[in-house]
Amino acid sequence: MIPPPRTRTTPQRLLSGYAAGGFGLLVVGLGGWWFTAALGVMVHLGLLEYFRLAQFKGIRPASKTTLVLVQLLLITTQWAHGGDAVGVGFATDLASAVLPISGALICGWLLLQPLTGSIADIAASIFALFYLGFLPSYWIRLRDLTDPALAPRLAHLGVDSGMVLMLMACLLIVATDIGSYVLGRRYGRRPLSPISPGKTLEGALGGLGCAVLLGAGFGVLLGWHGGWAAGGLLGAVVALFALVGDLTESMMKRDAGVKDSGDLLPGHGGILDRIDSYLFTPAAFYTVVTLLKPLLA
């Protein structure tokens, strides 16, 4: 079965894509609270689209409460991992406590409504906290990794290892997308999932291969021991989790009966349509990097 033809890339789509990419590079370079603020805005817009999808299904999530709690989660994560020694112990404990306490506050809010919340209302709210709060907070953790041992070959240049690792993660996602698109368009024959008919098994394997090759190159560039193997492993992890993120958002849109999560980005759809591959990947990338750290330097 040959997948349906893909839509043509328009100048409007390219322009908005370049603008989003340029802004992303700027805030990643700035890091710190600037990066956290930009991430907070993006997450807020993504949550509004997510709640819109939920409401199409007749679900009534605790949207206002969740919007506030997600920002609190991001702020406490930056406070705990931003390198400021003042109150860092308290901030770390607070950041760890935000997620479970937020879950209880969401349930409490739904209990106080004139029409008591349902299981679906609770589940949609808690998932929003996890999906667009806890998972994106790992971008902050990753950006704040400043150990020179994570980029030994670049340490003498004074390069911020957290910035390099974050750019590596983002470029691996881009490589996955490009590889999936190009190879899927050229060789794709077998559909990957009914959730997203345009995706093929061949495209997914192409994206995986591109991410592994780029990851291996990064491992050598950064000077890791066994660099190509560790980098290739990270590439494979990113490709798989990016695909899960993409298909998860497609599943939600399909269930809600909409083509795009929104129309904020001309030619691209909504915020969720652009960041879906970037939601599950940072936690996986950060975890693998920190676990492999003793072997890399």
Side-chain angles (χ1 to χ4, degrees), residues 5 16 31-33 63 80 89 120 142 155 196 207 214 223 226 229 234 242 244 249 255 273 283 291:
S16 60
W33 288 103
S63 49
L142 183 59
S196 185
L214 181 60
L234 276 169
V244 170
E249 199 247 352
D255 189 40
D273 295 318
L291 287 175

Side-chain angles (χ1 to χ4, degrees), residues 95-107:
S96 300
V98 166
L99 193 65
I101 291 176
S102 296
L105 290 174
I106 286 171
C107 292

Side-chain angles (χ1 to χ4, degrees), residues 212-239:
V212 168
L213 289 175
L214 181 60
F218 261 106
V220 174
L221 173 66
L222 295 177
W224 292 343
H225 288 168
W228 65 269
L233 173 62
L234 276 169
V237 168
V238 167

Side-chain angles (χ1 to χ4, degrees), residues 8-277:
R8 188 178 179 183
T9 301
T10 63
Q12 187 182 41
R13 179 182 174 88
L14 286 173
L15 182 60
S16 60
Y18 289 144
F23 178 74
L25 285 174
L26 174 63
V27 296
V28 169
L30 290 173
W33 288 103
W34 288 105
F35 174 73
T36 301
L39 182 65
V41 172
M42 189 178 300
V43 162
H44 182 87
L45 296 173
L47 278 168
L48 294 178
E49 293 180 356
Y50 168 83
F51 290 136
R52 173 175 167 265
L53 296 178
Q55 288 161 2
F56 282 151
K57 297 293 296 180
I59 299 173
R60 299 173 293 106
S63 49
K64 293 180 181 178
T65 305
T66 308
L67 286 167
V68 172
L69 293 172
V70 162
Q71 296 301 321
L72 178 62
L73 178 60
L74 297 179
I75 290 170
T76 54
T77 300
Q78 173 59 34
W79 187 11
H81 296 271
D84 186 358
V86 179
V88 67
F90 173 75
T92 301
D93 293 338
L94 181 60
S96 300
V98 166
L99 193 65
I101 291 176
S102 296
L105 290 174
I106 286 171
C107 292
W109 175 262
L110 290 171
L111 287 170
L112 295 174
Q113 302 309 300
L115 183 60
T116 306
S118 65
I119 293 176
D121 299 336
I122 295 173
S125 303
I126 299 297
F127 181 70
L129 184 69
F130 170 78
Y131 184 57
L132 284 160
F134 179 70
L135 291 177
S137 74
Y138 273 85
W139 283 120
I140 297 174
R141 297 169 185 251
L142 183 59
R143 180 61 184 85
D144 289 335
L145 280 177
T146 56
D147 190 340
L150 292 173
R153 184 164 291 172
L154 303 180
H156 67 284
L157 300 175
V159 176
D160 186 336
S161 59
M163 180 181 68
V164 173
L165 289 172
M166 185 168 178
L167 289 174
M168 175 183 176
C170 291
L171 288 174
L172 288 175
I173 296 173
V174 172
T176 301
D177 288 342
I178 293 175
S180 298
Y181 175 79
V182 173
L183 296 177
R185 188 181 182 113
R186 177 66 177 84
Y187 301 105
R189 293 294 180 269
R190 287 168 288 187
L192 180 66
S193 169
I195 292 172
S196 185
K199 287 183 170 55
T200 63
L201 178 60
E202 293 83 359
L205 292 175
L208 175 63
C210 289
V212 168
L213 289 175
L214 181 60
F218 261 106
V220 174
L221 173 66
L222 295 177
W224 292 343
H225 288 168
W228 65 269
L233 173 62
L234 276 169
V237 168
V238 167
L240 292 174
F241 278 83
L243 179 61
V244 170
D246 193 341
L247 292 177
T248 298
E249 199 247 352
S250 295
M251 177 177 63
M252 292 191 293
K253 290 190 297 183
R254 187 183 183 92
D255 189 40
V258 298
K259 181 180 181 296
D260 296 320
S261 63
D263 56 3
L264 184 64
L265 299 175
H268 290 272
I271 289 291
L272 281 181
D273 295 318
R274 289 296 90 203
I275 67 172
D276 51 7
S277 299

